[in-house]
Amino acid sequence: MCNLYTNKSTVQEMAALFRTSATYGFNAPTDVYPQYPGIVVREDQGQRILQQMTWGFPRHSVNKRTGKPNKPTATNNARDDKLWTIWRQWFTNPARRCLIPFTSFAEAEGKPGQMTRTWISVEDQPIAAWAALWRPTVEWGDAYTGVMVDATEELFHIHDRMPVILHPEAHEAWLRADAQEAMALVTQYPANQLAVERTSEPWFARKVQVSDGPTLI
């Protein structure tokens, strides 16, 4: 499961890469966590747009002790083997598919309580696109979730799942094709094109950063 990714590109760089308008009234966050804002690319009336949404579909539960509803949590990843079942209504509708621009994603490595961040980036795509789904929500406005597959053998020791990273020529199909064609894009990205960077940065050090600077939370 991916619970953190970074997008160091500017709105203008994303607009140029994904062929959208570059005029927007929001800042692009750098580090993105579940239930926090991130940027996606989707189609609206036949045109691509950049839109700020909340990462994660709301998931509801009931407190076993009190019987009262808990605060919603985020389902920020969608398993590939569930796309035809629990995710079907969004996956089979091209209008509910989107792209998540990112520059790297993080996984936790190490002993419990001492985990550090390991960053994985795409060597042949400085700004890559993660296949995703989106929908309107009452709780958080428009929200998105990223599609995951089994990790490659080379990355499996880091985590058993990885994002569905699309090749640039597949962007159009993910946003417009029927479900069968889109499903053919749900594959592992070649491991020899992924760079792994292990750091000493604690996994639990949460930071939200926008263009005006970082804010610790």
Side-chain angles (χ1 to χ4, degrees), residues 69-136:
N70 295 316
K71 289 183 178 180
T73 56
T75 302
N76 48 296
N77 297 153
R79 290 175 59 100
D80 62 319
D81 56 347
K82 304 294 185 183
L83 291 176
W84 294 106
T85 54
I86 64 175
W87 302 104
R88 183 184 182 91
Q89 63 179 304
W90 303 290
F91 171 64
T92 57
N93 182 357
R96 288 289 181 260
R97 296 190 216 121
C98 61
L99 307 172
I100 306 172
F102 76 98
T103 49
S104 58
F105 64 93
E107 297 291 358
E109 283 197 286
K111 298 178 181 179
Q114 302 178 31
M115 288 186 167
T116 55
R117 297 178 180 183
T118 294
W119 292 96
I120 300 170
S121 58
V122 186
E123 290 188 328
D124 58 337
Q125 294 192 68
I127 307 172
W130 177 5
L133 311 172
W134 77 277
R135 69 175 177 89

Side-chain angles (χ1 to χ4, degrees), residues 14 42 54 80 116 172 188:
M14 287 186 282
R42 70 175 182 91
T54 300
D80 62 319
T116 55
E172 187 81 1
Q188 299 167 327

Side-chain angles (χ1 to χ4, degrees), residues 32-43:
V32 185
Y33 301 88
Q35 292 183 243
Y36 282 83
I39 306 299
V40 304
V41 179
R42 70 175 182 91
E43 287 212 341

Side-chain angles (χ1 to χ4, degrees), residues 2 16 60 75 95 129-130 141 167 169 172 197 207:
C2 179
H60 297 277
T75 302
W130 177 5
H167 295 276
E169 60 270 20
E172 187 81 1
E197 179 187 2
K207 184 186 298 182

